[in-house]
Each structure stands twice: as C-alpha cells, then as structure tokens.
Amino acid sequence: MVQEFQEAAPKIHSAKDLLGNYNALKVVLGAYGLSSLLGQKAVVRDLVTQDPTQNTSLAAKSGNVAWKNFAKAFSNWSPSPLSSSENVAQIVQKYTTVQFEDSKQIESPGLGNALYFSRQMTTDTNLAQIMSDPKLLNVVETVAGFDPTQFGALDYDQQVRALTPKVNLKDFSTPAGIQKYAQRYLATLQYKPQPTSSAANMLSLYGANGGGASILSLFSNGGDGDASLFSSLF
C-alpha cells in the first residue's frame, strides 16, 4: 500500500487524480485519521477543492479539526501537494503512525487513543476542537467520568454543558500535562473499562507480569526528565 502510494504520488497532479486513485486516497486519508471518509467521495471532493479559509467551505463549516487540517494540506494544487518528496515522506510517516495507533487500540483497548491524544493534543486546543475529534473526545469524556455511549446520546449543546465544568483546559497547558491526562485516561479504564470486542485487557499494556517495560518507550517524554506516561500507575 505505502509503496504503491509512493510510486503513484508524482503522477497525481490534481484533486481529480487523487480521487481516482483508491490506494493513494486511502493512504492520504489514513494519514489524517480520516479513513472513514474513504467511501464519501463527495465530502472528500469538497475538502480538496474548496478554500478552507473561506467560511462557506465544508471544512470551515464543519468545525472538524481533522477536516480542516486535511483541507489545508490538499486544497491547493498549484503545485500538487504530492509533488514534493518531503511531503510524500511526511504523509507516509503519518499514515504509518496512525496504523500503529489503530493496531495498539485493537490489541489493548485505550492504548491507541492514549497515543493519539498525546500526539494530537496541543496546548492551544479548545473544547470545541476536542469535541470535533472522536478520539480526543473519548479520552476527555472518560476522564470526566462520563460513559461514552450515554454521553454520545446527548445533543451537542447538552454535551457542552456537561463537559464545560468538568474539563480544565489548563490541564493541557504543557506537553507534560497532556501526557499526565492520557495517563489518567488509561488509569480510569482499569477500573471502568469500556465495552470492546477485543479480548485484550488493560493488564496487557504492562506485560503479563504487570511490568511496563515493553511499552514504556511509546510514551517517553522528549527531554523534560519525567518518567514515562505509565510510571505512576503502579
């Protein structure tokens, strides 16, 4: 899949070319966490042909951060976003990262979301942006004490009212704070697991003997000297 994308990328010169190449579109959408849009070509067409800075564009009206980021990267085809080998390499890296996170989510429910949260959450992310991203929202609503299934049954305004007093955006003011929040999410899942079809359990995050050596590197900080994300769980 990745090799086919790399070979096809230099030949993709327009939005029409991208939409007509299933493998390339799958990699590109996957890189931005938008694999669910693979069968929704009308939506993707709007995202890759409309100016996301215009209030009338689908990306802007959606309020979806992932849609906006994707549109920003692929709405300008002069030149093609895939004409740069550096851009292609970055897309491949993003795609590989997302695939890795998804596989970890299947193996150990919660781990993939925690990895995604630590990677995608930024110090300037607001509540509306969190709510537009299903994975970020799952982490936040879980830490806030809500059952995701019941919370999802509420309308948007009800969700905002429920989350506002429960979410302190200062928790995300530093990279260390973001990692600690992801840690709280995993800790919460240990005593309040969410329904899953996977046979994996939270103990598998730390190895059969309860030790975390096998995955400590997944959440190591970039140089602030703190222990890994999981260090204080046990």
Side-chain angles (χ1 to χ4, degrees):
M1 179 70 69
V2 168
Q3 183 176 349
E4 292 176 354
F5 166 70
Q6 291 172 315
E7 293 173 352
K11 304 172 186 176
I12 297 176
H13 304 293
S14 66
K16 183 178 179 180
D17 290 342
L18 178 61
L19 290 167
N21 189 312
Y22 179 85
N23 286 338
L25 185 60
K26 184 174 183 178
V27 171
V28 168
L29 287 174
Y32 285 83
L34 298 176
S35 295
S36 61
L37 295 183
L38 191 58
Q40 302 182 46
K41 283 196 173 181
V43 173
V44 179
R45 183 180 296 109
D46 285 346
L47 294 177
V48 298
T49 58
Q50 298 175 356
D51 182 354
T53 65
Q54 298 297 315
N55 293 333
T56 55
S57 70
L58 176 61
K61 290 190 294 185
S62 73
N64 188 302
V65 176
W67 286 24
K68 290 180 181 178
N69 289 338
F70 175 68
K72 183 178 179 180
F74 283 91
S75 60
N76 185 354
W77 290 88
S78 298
S80 164
L82 301 177
S83 62
S84 164
S85 59
E86 181 179 352
N87 284 347
V88 171
Q90 290 177 349
I91 290 169
V92 168
Q93 179 60 49
K94 288 181 179 180
Y95 176 76
T96 302
T97 299
V98 171
Q99 294 301 301
F100 173 76
E101 291 171 350
D102 288 347
S103 69
K104 289 301 176 183
Q105 181 67 18
I106 293 173
E107 293 173 10
S108 303
L111 179 55
N113 285 349
L115 288 167
Y116 178 87
F117 183 87
S118 295
R119 177 172 62 86
Q120 289 291 101
M121 197 68 177
T122 63
T123 56
D124 60 351
T125 302
N126 58 42
L127 185 59
Q129 292 170 330
I130 292 172
M131 294 181 67
S132 73
D133 186 313
K135 292 182 180 179
L136 294 183
L137 179 59
N138 179 268
V139 172
V140 170
E141 67 190 5
T142 299
V143 173
F146 297 110
D147 177 280
T149 302
Q150 296 178 354
F151 190 81
L154 302 176
D155 64 36
Y156 181 81
D157 289 339
Q158 290 175 322
Q159 291 180 347
V160 171
R161 289 195 295 272
L163 279 179
T164 297
K166 295 278 189 177
V167 178
N168 184 356
L169 294 177
K170 291 182 180 180
D171 288 339
F172 317 127
S173 60
T174 65
I178 291 171
Q179 285 201 349
K180 288 178 181 178
Y181 200 89
Q183 173 184 323
R184 288 171 60 191
Y185 166 70
L186 289 175
T188 300
L189 290 183
Q190 288 188 83
Y191 65 84
K192 194 175 182 181
Q194 295 170 2
T196 176
S197 58
S198 170
N201 55 55
M202 291 304 295
L203 184 59
S204 66
L205 297 180
Y206 309 97
N209 63 355
S214 62
I215 58 169
L216 288 180
S217 60
L218 299 180
F219 283 92
S220 58
N221 277 332
D224 61 2
D226 288 348
S228 76
L229 178 66
F230 304 104
S231 61
S232 66
L233 289 181
F234 293 94

